[in-house]
């Protein structure tokens, strides 16, 4: 019996697959990919004989049965997930039935869409003395949020918030940010299909107008929302610079020029 690999396919651009993901795709006998978000271009490295299946219309049980039957048939099996498999990827729900079936699993990380979105807009998620913390979260829709994780509570930290799966909930986001003390003029970044060649859209707005801007652009799925006091810092006249490159700062690899 062979191993089932859960592989992060990255945010969409096939060039953002890891070398390991690319090698595993080229060696696989069977690939089950999350068709709604994983680019089919990633499959160009697959062998002619590889069984490739889109999981878009499948239930969790069908997905697990498919993976188990291929692994039992001794195939080299890959489950290709969007971004990183450990974020909103139902990873453990899929691994548990494989554990029960005695099938070995391994996980390969991928570039998550929050990072691809920040990169698309040339933004940083941390800045010295502005924020040093990033929260990956989502807003409560049909999936309930655990206690203490409502956006009102998370936003109270005034750090960077990367919100997955929440583009249809922008009204709630506006209300929560304002309730947590963010100004209506705070910048918000929305990136649709970050890194997808020819499809990516970058929308810059504020707490007040981001919902209208997204509506106008027709964006209602596959988008990352980043609310952060760092957004737009490229245009700030003054930055608190990182200590790492400060001439007056000594660290393991460099002595301060003056003390
Ligand atoms: N595991 C994935 C997230 C899966 S949940 C990851 O690490 O990125 C799906 C959500 O991820 C979408 O609703 C959207 O918010 C975000 N997403 C996935 N791909 C994206 C992309 N290319 N651009 C922007 N957001 C994306």
């Amino acid at each position: 019996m062979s191993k089932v690999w859960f592989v992060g396919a990255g945010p969409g651009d096939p060039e953002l697959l890891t070398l390991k993901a690319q090698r595993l795709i080229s060696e696989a006998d069977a690939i089950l990919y999350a068709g709604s978000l994983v680019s089919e271009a990633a499959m160009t490295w697959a062998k002619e004989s590889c069984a490739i299946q889109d999981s878009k219309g499948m239930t969790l049980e069908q997905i697990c049965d498919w993976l188990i039957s291929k692994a039992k048939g001794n195939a080299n099996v890959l489950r290709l997930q969007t971004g990183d498999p450990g974020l909103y990827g139902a990873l453990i729900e899929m691994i548990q039935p494989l554990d029960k079936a005695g099938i070995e699993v391994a996980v390969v990380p991928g570039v998550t869409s929050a990072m691809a979105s920040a990169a698309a807009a040339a933004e940083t998620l941390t800045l010295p003395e502005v924020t040093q913390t990033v929260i990956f979260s989502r807003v409560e829709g049909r999936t309930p949020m655990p206690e203490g994780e409502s956006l009102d509570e998370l936003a109270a930290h005034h750090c960077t918030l990367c919100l997955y799966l929440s583009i249809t909930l922008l009204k709630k986001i506006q209300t929560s940010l304002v309730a947590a003390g963010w100004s209506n003029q705070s910048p918000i970044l929305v990136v649709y299909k970050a890194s997808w060649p020819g499809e990516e859209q970058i929308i810059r707005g504020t707490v007040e107008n981001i919902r209208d801007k997204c509506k106008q652009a027709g964006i209602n799925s596959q988008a990352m929302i980043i609310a952060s006091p760092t957004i737009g810092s490229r245009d700030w006249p003054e930055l608190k610079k990182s200590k790492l490159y400060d001439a007056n700062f000594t660290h393991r690899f460099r002595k301060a020029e003056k003390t």
Side-chain angles (χ1 to χ4, degrees), residues 11 37 82-84 87-88 112-113 117 163-165 191-194 196 222-224:
L37 285 164
T82 167
D84 184 276
L87 283 169
Y88 311 107
T112 189
S113 50
S117 299
L163 301 173
Y164 292 72
L165 296 158
V191 183
Y192 168 75
K193 286 200 143 184
W196 284 68
Q222 297 184 38
M224 172 62 48

Side-chain angles (χ1 to χ4, degrees), residues 57-108:
M58 292 165 84
T59 62
L60 181 72
E61 202 183 342
Q62 288 167 336
I63 287 174
C64 294
D65 287 349
W66 195 92
L67 296 172
I68 291 168
S69 76
K70 295 289 182 201
K72 283 192 170 161
N74 255 336
N76 224 335
V77 189
L78 230 77
R79 165 65 180 157
L80 257 191
Q81 312 242 127
T82 167
D84 184 276
L87 283 169
Y88 311 107
L91 179 65
I92 303 305
E93 290 161 56
M94 287 183 277
I95 287 182
Q96 279 186 348
L98 298 180
D99 280 343
K100 278 206 188 102
I103 292 164
E104 209 185 324
V105 303
V107 182
V108 177

